[in-house]
């Protein structure tokens, strides 16, 4: 093995950026083809390719870090910057939808009845399931912190239990939101209220699913002894992401569910 | 004889232990073995270094990639030039 005289990671050539780019092309074109020609082959093919790419790319990163030791302190610092920058970009993503919500709700137009919520819209009671959802996500923030401390202390069983509990709480949130979506007295087609509600909460729900998946991968890795008490950045990244998802929900709850009702 | 008795007692204790641990589904720590596998100086890139399963998954992914890239060009081309009788 050639020895490097530096602490940085010169990665092996990899096919996954190419397969990922083709997957993105297939998913986007496939969606357009589905809308216009009622065929889902391209979009499905693209989604399969996307899943294969994500699985193999992240599998390789785990191999490079945990099995080959490439994630030295400077490399880990870069990974930390990367995750922080990515989450920041997601903050801006949600900022746009909050902008749309406040644009429409602070100055409701005459066609809405000049009021918010618009005339004819029966809003959801913020003190029923939405409040429970708030409690569920806040609790999951506690359990993920418990998991982190357990990992740092080298307590294997509490780490596994608290991480599993966090994921279960995430699933419970998704389940409750699914019920709310099904039972809601308004749809996405109900004017700007419906649009802002379902696009903002819908993207949030997608991020809860992504975050739960990330935590589930961490659970599998914790079970397989990948994490040490000193080095477990994958878990920290998942926990950061999870806290971000929780904070977005708090803003959604205050703005759309409570103030907007 | 005494040696066989010792072995039999040992085996009984071992089976008791394995039954107890299998009931709790203990997972062995295989990180050291994986570290050895992925640090082997065989010139293989990381995405193929795990063995034949890697090669199979890679080939399947690449096949879908090449086929998909060709297919999307075909679909978009035909979508852009519909055969419509004037």
């Amino acid at each position: 093995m050639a020895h490097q005289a530096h602490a940085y990671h010169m990665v092996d050539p990899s096919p996954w950026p190419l397969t990922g780019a083709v997957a993105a092309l297939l998913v986007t074109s496939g969606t357009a083809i589905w809308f216009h020609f009622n065929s889902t082959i391209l979009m499905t093919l693209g989604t399969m390719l996307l899943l294969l790419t994500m699985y193999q790319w992240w599998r390789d990163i785990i191999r490079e870090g945990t099995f080959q030791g490439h994630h030295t302190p400077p490399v880990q610092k870069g990974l930390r910057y990367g995750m922080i920058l990515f989450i920041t970009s997601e903050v801006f993503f949600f900022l746009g939808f909050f902008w749309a919500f406040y644009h429409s709700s602070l100055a409701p137009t005459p066609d809405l009845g000049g009021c918010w919520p618009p005339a004819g819209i029966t809003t959801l009671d913020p003190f029923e399931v939405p409040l429970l959802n708030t409690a569920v996500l806040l609790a999951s923030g506690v359990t993920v912190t418990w998991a982190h401390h357990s990992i740092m202390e080298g307590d294997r069983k509490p780490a596994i239990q608290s991480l599993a509990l966090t994921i279960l709480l995430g699933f419970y949130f998704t389940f409750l939101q699914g019920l709310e979506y099904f039972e809601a007295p308004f749809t996405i087609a109900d004017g700007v209220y419906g649009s802002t509600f379902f696009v903002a909460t819908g993207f949030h729900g997608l991020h809860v699913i992504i975050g739960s998946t990330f935590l589930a991968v961490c659970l599998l890795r914790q079970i397989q002894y990948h994490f040490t008490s000193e080095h477990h950045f994958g878990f920290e990244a998942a926990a950061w992401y999870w806290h971000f998802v929780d904070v977005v929900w708090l803003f959604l709850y205050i703005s759309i569910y409570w103030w907007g009702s | 004889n005494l040696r066989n008795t010792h072995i039999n007692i040992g085996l009984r204790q071992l089976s008791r232990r394995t039954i107890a641990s299998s009931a709790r589904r203990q997972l062995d720590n295989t990180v050291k073995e994986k570290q050895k596998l992925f640090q082997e100086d065989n010139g293989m890139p990381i995405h193929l270094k795990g063995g034949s399963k890697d090669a199979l998954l890679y080939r399947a992914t690449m096949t879908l990639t090449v086929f998909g890239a060709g297919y999307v060009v075909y679909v978009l081309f035909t979508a852009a030039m519909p055969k419509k009788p004037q």
Side-chain angles (χ1 to χ4, degrees):
Chain A
M1 189 90 84
H3 288 120
Q4 58 189 48
H6 60 81
Y8 296 96
H9 184 190
M10 307 301 287
V11 294
D12 289 337
S14 171
W16 312 132
L18 177 68
T19 62
V22 172
L25 171 64
L26 260 49
V27 167
T28 48
S29 311
T31 306
I33 295 295
W34 175 39
F35 288 170
H36 290 274
F37 300 104
N38 200 33
S39 162
T40 55
I41 302 174
L42 211 53
M43 192 177 67
T44 310
L45 184 58
T47 309
M48 269 167 48
L49 204 49
L50 188 62
L51 290 168
L52 282 168
T53 301
M54 291 194 290
Y55 172 75
Q56 290 171 100
W57 195 331
W58 281 321
R59 173 206 68 189
D60 289 352
I61 293 174
I62 291 171
R63 289 176 175 181
E64 290 162 353
T66 307
F67 304 142
Q68 293 188 326
H70 279 295
H71 290 180
T72 59
V75 171
Q76 204 192 112
K77 194 155 171 234
L79 293 170
R80 285 177 189 271
Y81 275 126
M83 193 65 197
I84 288 168
L85 287 170
F86 172 64
I87 292 177
T88 307
S89 77
E90 294 250 78
V91 168
F92 281 105
F93 179 72
F94 277 98
L95 223 61
F97 297 120
F98 277 101
W99 183 346
F101 169 74
Y102 278 112
H103 173 93
S104 298
S105 59
L106 284 169
T109 53
D111 54 296
L112 301 176
C115 55
W116 193 276
I121 294 283
T122 325
T123 60
L124 301 170
D125 188 339
F127 301 109
E128 292 192 3
V129 174
L131 185 59
L132 173 59
N133 270 341
T134 306
V136 167
L137 282 187
L138 287 174
S140 73
V142 171
T143 54
V144 81
T145 306
W146 172 19
H148 191 195
H149 283 268
S150 302
I151 291 172
M152 290 190 289
E153 296 298 311
D155 287 336
R156 180 180 160 78
K157 227 171 88 172
I160 291 171
Q161 287 172 346
S162 50
L163 189 44
L165 187 52
T166 309
I167 295 163
L168 283 173
L169 287 167
F171 284 167
Y172 188 36
F173 175 93
T174 304
F175 169 72
L176 287 169
Q177 267 300 65
L179 283 183
E180 283 285 273
Y181 270 33
F182 189 73
E183 298 287 344
F186 54 87
T187 73
I188 196 172
D190 284 323
V192 74
Y193 184 87
S195 299
T196 50
F197 180 90
F198 283 107
V199 169
T201 62
F203 271 120
H204 173 261
L206 176 66
H207 285 71
V208 170
I209 292 167
I210 292 168
S212 303
T213 308
F214 196 172
L215 289 167
V217 169
C218 288
L219 177 61
L220 287 173
R221 294 188 67 201
Q222 163 65 11
I223 290 170
Q224 289 173 54
Y225 300 89
H226 286 199
F227 298 138
T228 72
S229 51
E230 257 82 60
H231 190 163
H232 44 263
F233 175 65
F235 172 81
E236 289 183 68
W240 289 352
Y241 195 79
W242 192 251
H243 287 306
F244 155 71
V245 161
D246 187 6
V247 169
V248 170
W249 170 258
L250 294 175
F251 277 95
L252 281 173
Y253 180 72
I254 303 286
S255 308
I256 296 182
Y257 284 91
W258 196 348
W259 177 82
S261 69
Chain B
N1 59 55
L2 206 62
R3 188 168 174 273
N4 283 347
T5 319
H6 281 160
I7 289 168
N8 284 335
I9 292 169
L11 277 171
R12 243 185 289 135
Q13 285 173 337
L14 184 67
S15 64
R16 234 181 280 137
R17 254 182 293 148
T18 44
I19 286 166
S21 58
S22 65
R24 290 183 60 232
R25 286 192 75 240
Q26 287 261 52
L27 214 73
D28 294 321
N29 186 343
T30 59
V31 171
K32 282 264 175 322
E33 286 94 335
K34 296 221 182 79
Q35 284 171 338
K36 189 158 167 275
L37 171 69
F38 288 106
Q39 290 178 40
E40 208 186 302
D41 194 359
N42 53 25
M44 295 291 267
I46 191 70
H47 64 281
L48 296 171
K49 214 169 167 84
S52 52
K53 268 173 66 184
D54 285 4
L56 190 69
L57 204 56
Y58 166 74
R59 248 177 275 144
T61 309
M62 214 28 115
T63 307
L64 286 179
T65 305
V66 171
F67 171 74
Y71 184 54
V72 74
V73 169
Y74 165 73
V75 169
L76 291 178
F77 211 75
T78 52
M81 305 217 217
K83 280 201 176 103
K84 259 210 175 93
Q86 291 300 341

